[in-house]
Amino acid sequence: MLDKLEMVEAAVRQSAVVARGVLKISAPVWFANPLFTKALAKYRSRYPDVLLDINLNDRLVDLVEEGFDLALRVTPEEPGSSLLTRRRICPIQLMLVGSTDYLQRNGYPKTPNELSKHVSISYYYSQFADEILFEGSNGRETVKLPVSIRSNNTTMLYQATLAGMGLAVLPKWLIEDDLTSQRLEVLRLDYTLAISYLYAVYTNQRYLSPKIRTFVDFLVEHFSGITESFD
């Protein structure tokens, strides 16, 4: 009987450390990009018993009310809540960009002050909606621009930028191919954009389930080569 009990306990311990089941994740719309999708494929090859259920939405979801295991959030500030655990994954390089056509028509600003002659493409859920947050030798500075279009969806903002409707702050993950093809150009100013970070956010738990733990650990490992020093 003792031998059988030990076998049962061993089986329970083994099942407790195997990542399996549905992992429900909330992430921004622009995470539908090749860089992140390749990371998901690599995770799945390592943990084939986990079904990734990813809801792409640019709003801040309520993890408990809406039944999410975790959320991936990009912000210049650490997401704050005593009810949530936050783990920093990596810095996210945001870029102030415009289409080549737009910039040739409206000029290339060199300072934050010169941005006032331009229009912006604005994101509803940004902490600094209708503003661009810069960092320089005198600290942080925000620049407010006239808005040509505002949306709660980064895909719309991305397409509006390609269409030459104004300047936008977009993640490099999303626009890397457009920079290579020169459909979009990065503005080089005497101030830099404030650094944002990717966080994994999940509810406080005494025992973190293997599917959450392995996924967060994997993201930290996979994106460990991304540093705070950007080109």
Side-chain angles (χ1 to χ4, degrees):
M1 290 179 64
L2 289 176
D3 287 343
K4 289 183 178 179
L5 180 60
E6 287 180 357
M7 290 175 63
V8 171
E9 289 178 343
V12 170
R13 286 197 300 271
Q14 178 66 20
S15 65
V17 298
V18 173
R20 60 163 53 96
V22 178
L23 180 61
K24 190 173 180 182
I25 302 166
S26 171
V29 169
W30 60 266
F31 270 51
N33 64 72
L35 186 67
F36 187 67
T37 306
K38 287 177 182 176
L40 296 180
K42 187 174 180 180
Y43 173 82
R44 270 279 302 166
S45 67
R46 189 179 299 182
Y47 301 100
D49 293 328
V50 177
L51 188 161
L52 297 172
D53 183 344
I54 301 179
N55 183 289
L56 297 181
N57 196 309
D58 287 330
R59 66 183 176 84
L60 294 182
V61 301
D62 186 312
L63 298 182
V64 176
E65 288 293 326
E66 299 181 52
F68 286 99
D69 294 301
L70 65 91
L72 298 174
R73 294 175 180 168
V74 176
T75 173
E77 309 290 348
E78 184 171 321
S81 171
S82 60
L83 301 177
L84 298 175
T85 298
R86 301 161 297 280
R87 187 170 176 190
R88 184 185 289 183
I89 305 299
C90 65
I92 295 292
Q93 187 170 10
L94 300 178
M95 295 177 157
L96 178 60
V97 298
S99 71
T100 299
D101 175 66
Y102 171 87
L103 292 170
Q104 287 176 349
R105 285 187 285 110
N106 296 279
Y108 291 75
K110 299 297 182 184
T111 67
N113 287 336
E114 292 179 10
L115 288 173
S116 61
K117 302 174 184 177
H118 293 261
V119 293
S120 72
I121 295 169
S122 179
Y123 176 47
Y124 269 144
Y125 294 128
S126 169
Q127 182 181 0
F128 301 94
D130 300 349
E131 295 179 337
I132 301 176
L133 179 62
F134 293 98
E135 291 181 339
S137 56
N138 296 321
R140 288 189 170 182
E141 178 179 340
T142 57
V143 177
K144 192 174 182 67
L145 293 117
V147 176
S148 67
I149 181 172
R150 183 186 291 118
S151 177
N152 64 346
N153 184 288
T154 46
T155 300
M156 172 61 76
L157 302 182
Y158 166 65
Q159 292 297 335
T161 308
L162 288 174
M165 295 185 67
L167 303 178
V169 175
L170 295 173
K172 187 178 180 182
W173 284 14
L174 178 64
I175 61 174
E176 201 152 14
D177 289 344
D178 302 294
L179 298 177
T180 301
S181 66
Q182 297 186 331
R183 286 180 293 184
L184 295 178
E185 296 185 49
V186 179
L187 297 182
R188 307 294 182 182
L189 307 179
D190 54 2
Y191 273 63
T192 59
L193 291 176
I195 296 176
S196 290
Y197 295 91
L198 171 61
Y199 290 90
V201 181
Y202 42 92
T203 57
N204 294 332
Q205 301 175 41
R206 185 175 181 183
Y207 299 107
L208 193 62
S209 68
K211 62 184 180 181
I212 298 176
R213 176 177 50 78
T214 57
F215 187 74
V216 175
D217 287 347
F218 170 81
L219 291 183
V220 172
E221 172 195 331
H222 184 79
F223 293 113
S224 61
I226 299 178
T227 69
E228 298 181 17
S229 178
F230 297 132
D231 295 334

